[in-house]
């Protein structure tokens, strides 16, 4: 079930142009202060939370902008000061901020008050599928008279918003080139620091990471059998189109049978912009839903995952930091390459035999779980892929981003030496 598309989002953006203009005029009149204001399109988490904690520990005044009761509760549990991003208070907090930190877009904070701010765009994954200016999906509009002109206007708005970014961290030099192209930015703004969101995957020992991640999953989806292997299925968003990999009733029967025979649990994390359709026709404790409404940020839970199944998610790059094997289920790879596009060739990431349907995928999963040599080989391939995209794995990405921000003229917190 699709719940959002670029076309509908861009149509709404065009209708809001007068509000953007009014907000921009307002920011000319309001002096910016020293506070760091944070927002995240996925909820309380991701790299924004890592950087907020670091900045707060360094003595900076920080504030998180929320968009729902759920986010208010999650932030309160972490001791974060919050304001709703919409409305006058959200506008004022954004307009007065010295630093704005976002992970998805300027709508993570108040979208009408970012003019003249020092914007840090952390992004939320290493691009595998084309994003931003590199993807035709970004400027889609509804099929109405004048659509070509509207697409050009959306493109200009996107470029204008991207030019407000002062720091955009990249995981590696390869990722840096993709981000520079996608956002239309120079290498003075896209910096190879590593990404704060994955520092949690390098913190502590292997056993400590696994224990913390397992406890997080137990709280999110209920206790998992101690000996069961944990399989995470994370399909990505198809820009408003239906997901062709949603299992049929017969496929669900086969999926659950394999899970029972291999003593495994399947966690399904459908994309937050396209949730729905993944519940099996009959309830099974072998299948648990792990959408963003259950767990806003999945990265801290990855250390408890034994196998990742995905199509085009950047999680494929991240789990390699943990040497977790990845299987690929992509029935629409050819069409997706044509309409959305990839950076490089999909087979360079997924290998020569990504599964085109659940039967093929289940065969690959059986071999992986039953054969230690096959599992080790897949783990090594995952680690190699990750090493090509993550330049750092020392748990200090957040500090490097913080230092890059400070180096661009952001003052130390008040009272600091």
């Amino acid at each position: 079930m699709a719940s959002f598309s670029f076309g509908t989002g861009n149509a709404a953006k065009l209708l809001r142009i007068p509000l953007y203009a009014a907000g921009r005029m307002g920011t000319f009149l309001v002096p910016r202060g020293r506070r760091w204001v944070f927002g995240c399109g996925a909820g309380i988490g991701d790299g924004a939370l890592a950087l907020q904690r670091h900045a707060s520990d360094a003595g900076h005044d920080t504030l998180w902008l929320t968009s729902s009761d759920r986010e208010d509760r999650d932030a309160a549990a972490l001791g974060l000061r919050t304001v709703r991003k919409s409305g006058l208070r959200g506008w004022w907090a954004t307009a007065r901020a010295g630093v704005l930190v976002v992970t998805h877009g300027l709508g993570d904070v108040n979208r009408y008050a970012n003019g003249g701010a020092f914007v840090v765009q952390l992004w939320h994954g290493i691009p595998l599928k084309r994003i931003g200016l590199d993807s035709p999906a970004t400027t889609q509009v509804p099929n109405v008279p004048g659509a070509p002109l509207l697409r050009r206007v959306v493109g200009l708005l996107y470029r204008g918003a991207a030019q407000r970014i002062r720091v955009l961290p990249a995981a590696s030099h390869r990722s840096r080139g993709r981000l520079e192209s996608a956002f239309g930015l120079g290498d003075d703004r896209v910096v190879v620091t590593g990404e704060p969101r994955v520092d949690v995957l390098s913190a502590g020992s292997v056993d400590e990471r696994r224990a913390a991640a397992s406890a997080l999953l137990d709280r999110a989806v209920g206790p998992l059998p101690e000996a069961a292997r944990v399989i995470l299925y994370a399909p990505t968003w198809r820009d408003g189109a239906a997901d062709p990999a949603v299992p049929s009733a017969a496929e669900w029967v086969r999926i659950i049978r394999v899970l029972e025979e291999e003593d495994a649990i399947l966690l399904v994390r459908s994309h937050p912009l396209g949730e729905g359709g993944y519940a099996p026709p009959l309830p099974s404790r072998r299948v648990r839903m792990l959408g963003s409404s259950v767990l806003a940020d999945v990265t801290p839970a990855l250390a408890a995952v034994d196998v990742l199944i995905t199509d085009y998610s950047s999680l494929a790059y991240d789990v390699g930091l943990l040497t977790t094997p990845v299987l690929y289920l992509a029935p629409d790879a050819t069409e997706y390459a044509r309409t959305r596009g990839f950076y490089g060739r999909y087979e360079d990431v997924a290998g020569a035999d990504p599964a085109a349907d659940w039967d093929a995928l289940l065969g690959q999963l059986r071999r992986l779980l039953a054969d230690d040599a096959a599992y080790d080989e897949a783990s090594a391939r995952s680690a190699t892929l990750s090493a090509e995209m993550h330049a750092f794995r020392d748990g200090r990405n957040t500090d490097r981003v913080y230092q890059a921000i400070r180096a661009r003229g952001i003052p130390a917190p008040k009272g600091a030496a």
Side-chain angles (χ1 to χ4, degrees), residues 198-210 212 303 321-322 393-396:
V198 298
D199 274 345
V200 66
L201 303 182
S202 301
S205 67
V206 172
D207 289 342
E208 289 169 339
R209 288 195 296 269
R210 179 88 183 189
L321 292 168
L322 304 163
R393 53 193 65 218
D394 57 4
R396 298 186 60 249

Side-chain angles (χ1 to χ4, degrees), residues 142-207:
N143 188 18
V144 297
L149 175 60
L150 295 178
R151 283 195 293 270
R152 287 195 289 272
V153 172
V154 170
L156 290 172
L157 290 174
Y158 189 93
R159 285 182 180 275
Q163 289 305 307
R164 297 176 187 173
I165 298 170
R166 298 290 298 279
V167 173
L168 200 170
S172 62
H173 286 284
R174 180 176 292 186
S175 178
R176 177 187 200 171
R178 298 176 182 183
L179 292 170
E180 287 174 353
S181 176
F183 287 90
L185 297 175
D187 59 8
D188 59 322
R189 303 194 194 186
V190 185
V191 292
V192 179
T193 56
E195 298 176 323
R197 64 186 182 84
V198 298
D199 274 345
V200 66
L201 303 182
S202 301
S205 67
V206 172
D207 289 342

Side-chain angles (χ1 to χ4, degrees), residues 210 218 222-230 263-265 285-286 288:
R210 179 88 183 189
D218 284 350
L224 300 176
E226 188 172 339
R229 265 83 64 90
V230 177
D263 190 15
I265 300 293
R285 294 300 292 166
R286 292 285 175 178
R288 319 260 182 113

Side-chain angles (χ1 to χ4, degrees), residues 69-84:
D69 291 342
R70 158 76 183 276
E71 290 184 15
D72 289 339
R73 292 192 298 270
D74 289 348
L78 294 171
L80 302 180
R81 289 189 302 134
T82 63
V83 164
R84 283 292 179 99

Side-chain angles (χ1 to χ4, degrees), residues 46-48 50-51 122 169 193-200 397-399 401:
D46 214 298
L51 186 56
L122 298 178
T193 56
E195 298 176 323
R197 64 186 182 84
V198 298
D199 274 345
V200 66
N397 297 342
T398 305
D399 182 61
V401 173

